[in-house]
Amino acid sequence: MDTATILAALVSGGVIGLILGLVGGGGSILAVPLLIYGVGIRSPHAAIGTAAVAVTANALASLIGHARAGRVKWRCASVFAASGMIGAGLGAELGKAFDGKRLLVLFGLVMIGVGLSMLRKRRTVEAPNVRLTRDTAATLLPRLVPIGMGVGLAAGFFGIGGGFLIVPGLVVATAMPLPFAIGTSLVVVSALGLTTATSYALSGLVDWGVTALLVAGGVGGTIAGIALGKLLGTRKGPLERGFAAMVIAIGAYITASSI
């Protein structure tokens, strides 16, 4: 591995960790294009497997900070994650059987769709004290389970942590405020990423050297992202819109270059 590749992998890991720490998701959806176009991994399947391992590790690092701040709804996260892992296992098997070039086209289209959905204003009445209990289970479980499974299927198929799918999914299912949805989503990102990563690793589709560099860069990026998120505070709206525009642009480039 040459110096340029090492630096590219470290920087890519830093970007993934920064975004995970800052907005709780999105690092994973950039990981695959960063690995293919930045680091130079030629196989889309190897890029997906490598990204899944690195994103899982970086999400766990980011989760620690959010958990310490009390922004994780653990019971809601566990149900969402459990159903999502079933979907992720199925999705990963489907993704590995799919043609690499077509997979990239679909991945680009998903990025565009996710970016556009991020630009839409959320009009949900928030429930900051929402908890999964015996009294609320009849209402919350029919929402958490199917949404979690659907998100997991997409996450496994495309090898993404699914943060930008999980966050709105949690908001729709439980009406929890966005800061709680971001913290809670990292539990699910970690679980789904682990499922996808295991599937690809067992198939020999993980570059472990690049993974180690991504994780090393991601730790620093995560710390910076959480700290920057505290500093920006009320400016998260413009930040999320700017990131959404970047996701759409990258998705368009991937789709156009893969057709």
Side-chain angles (χ1 to χ4, degrees), residues 120-128 143 167-178:
R120 295 177 59 188
K121 292 183 179 179
R122 301 180 182 92
R123 296 182 179 180
T124 306
V125 178
E126 294 184 344
R143 299 175 185 174
V167 170
L170 286 168
V171 171
V172 169
T174 68
M176 67 176 66
L178 188 60

Side-chain angles (χ1 to χ4, degrees), residues 69-81:
R71 292 190 294 266
V72 178
K73 301 281 187 179
W74 292 101
R75 291 181 182 176
C76 291
S78 62
V79 171
F80 201 101

Side-chain angles (χ1 to χ4, degrees), residues 212-225:
L213 293 170
L214 287 173
V215 172
V219 171
T222 295
I223 295 170

